[in-house]
Amino acid sequence: MQSIKVIVPATSANLGPGFDSLGLALNLYATFEFTLMDEGLEIEGCPDEYKNENNLAVTAFRGIYWRQGQRAPGLRLKIHSDIPSTRGMGSSSAFLTGGALAANAFLGNPFSRQEILQILSAFEGHPDNVTPALYGGFTATAMHGGAPCMAQFPVNERVHLCALIPSFELSTSASRMALPATVSHKDAAYNLSRVALLIKAFETADPQLFSVAMSDRLHQPYREHMIDDYKTVRLNALAAGAAGIYLSGAGPTLMCVYLDEEVPARIEKLIAGLRNDWRVLPLEVDREGARTEVLE
């Protein structure tokens, strides 16, 4: 029986001043193998609590069939994911993307990638993780008239990423609740002035631009108290030579941008022994995005 394999990259959103708009695809992946059955649902490769209709890959899979006016068939789903869950690295977006692209492939690709982006943005509520998951690279997305408008930007080959991942989880909903209902014009202008600088920093690998452009006043100051050792880890990463550091998505992962290949090893030495067993994971930008393969 024919199967569809979908490989989806991890993503990192917000990127300092780019709250709910900027995102990066990373070379850490979730792989899904979908096989149609006459009826029923079988899932392997994830915790028991997600081996049901609430699995986001299944939700998106069935949602695409519904959009096409069809009832989804039975499904066997095998999952292998290296993306940590509830750590601010786009695991939810990866599952949604995998399910949507598999269903679209089984249906003969009636939806374009832009249409898939719009459907998934409705699922997620905001498109900053879904966009790089689908398209790869460094992206910006804005909602306009109810539809996502996206752009991709170049990333210099000298720019590398390093995820600092603690042992504890932080739910997106809890992290969202920490944000204020309104912000000042001064803080909004502060972030806006840095977004363009950050885009240029990724293009040129300019460490001075990164040091200015990566700061934020819209979400990180309100969330840092939820992350044990936040200030210690951040200061040590900068002392180790990181060009910039930001809270990835809703956290708790901190993402470093670095230019010197020795930076991850230096960070590891400086934060060794912290109580939350911070994992230091060097990464690169995934420039391809999600890909689909037909398995015979």
Side-chain angles (χ1 to χ4, degrees):
M1 183 178 293
Q2 189 183 77
S3 300
I4 299 291
K5 181 167 77 171
V6 187
I7 301 172
V8 188
T11 52
S12 179
N14 293 334
L15 274 69
F19 179 66
D20 274 4
S21 59
L22 299 182
L24 275 173
L26 306 168
N27 65 337
L28 190 68
Y29 302 96
T31 301
F32 307 90
E33 186 177 320
F34 296 80
T35 304
L36 300 185
M37 303 192 300
D38 291 335
E39 59 182 22
L41 176 63
E42 299 176 8
I43 304 176
E44 61 180 77
C46 67
D48 289 344
E49 61 188 297
Y50 301 117
K51 292 181 178 179
N52 51 49
E53 289 79 5
N54 294 324
N55 187 293
L56 290 177
V58 176
T59 299
F61 184 89
R62 291 178 172 174
I64 293 296
Y65 270 85
W66 178 82
R67 291 282 184 133
Q68 191 64 2
Q70 297 189 35
R71 181 178 179 274
L75 182 65
R76 180 182 298 118
L77 172 58
K78 297 180 181 179
I79 302 167
H80 176 81
S81 179
D82 292 322
I83 305 173
S85 64
T86 58
R87 296 297 200 284
M89 296 185 69
S91 60
S92 295
S93 292
F95 274 64
L96 289 170
T97 301
L101 290 181
N104 198 44
F106 279 122
L107 289 165
N109 295 305
F111 298 105
S112 68
R113 191 148 288 209
Q114 177 63 27
E115 289 169 327
I116 293 290
L117 174 61
Q118 182 165 356
I119 293 168
L120 292 182
S121 296
F123 273 121
E124 277 280 72
H126 46 89
D128 51 336
N129 276 112
V130 174
T131 304
L134 276 170
Y135 290 92
F138 178 25
T139 64
T141 319
M143 297 302 294
H144 179 70
C149 178
M150 63 83 64
Q152 288 178 293
F153 304 103
V155 178
N156 193 292
E157 295 287 348
R158 294 177 54 221
V159 174
H160 310 283
L161 287 302
C162 181
L164 309 180
I165 310 168
S167 57
F168 60 88
E169 300 178 352
L170 180 59
S171 74
T172 300
S173 58
S175 192
R176 282 265 166 189
M177 289 178 64
L179 300 179
T182 60
V183 296
S184 69
H185 281 89
K186 183 178 180 180
D187 286 346
Y190 181 95
N191 273 47
L192 285 170
S193 67
R194 282 156 174 77
V195 168
L197 296 181
L198 184 61
I199 291 170
K200 193 66 176 179
F202 272 101
E203 179 187 342
T204 61
D206 185 327
Q208 289 186 316
L209 279 181
F210 273 121
S211 68
V212 173
M214 199 60 86
S215 55
D216 158 74
R217 290 184 180 176
L218 297 186
H219 78 108
Q220 294 179 152
Y222 304 103
R223 289 169 163 169
E224 61 180 66
H225 73 278
M226 305 175 74
I227 302 169
D228 196 23
D229 289 326
Y230 172 91
K231 289 184 178 178
T232 299
V233 173
R234 182 180 183 278
L235 290 173
N236 278 304
L238 293 173
I245 185 168
Y246 65 93
L247 186 61
S248 183
T253 295
L254 298 181
M255 193 70 66
C256 297
V257 177
Y258 69 95
L259 309 175
D260 179 351
E261 62 181 19
E262 300 298 325
V263 166
R266 292 189 205 126
I267 295 175
E268 197 160 27
K269 288 181 181 179
L270 288 173
I271 67 173
L274 291 179
R275 55 188 164 185
N276 290 299
D277 298 322
W278 289 76
R279 177 186 176 196
V280 179
L281 181 62
L283 296 165
E284 301 294 338
V285 175
D286 173 277
R287 300 170 191 272
E288 187 176 351
R291 40 269 202 193
T292 302
E293 178 184 345
V294 177
L295 304 175
E296 299 297 338

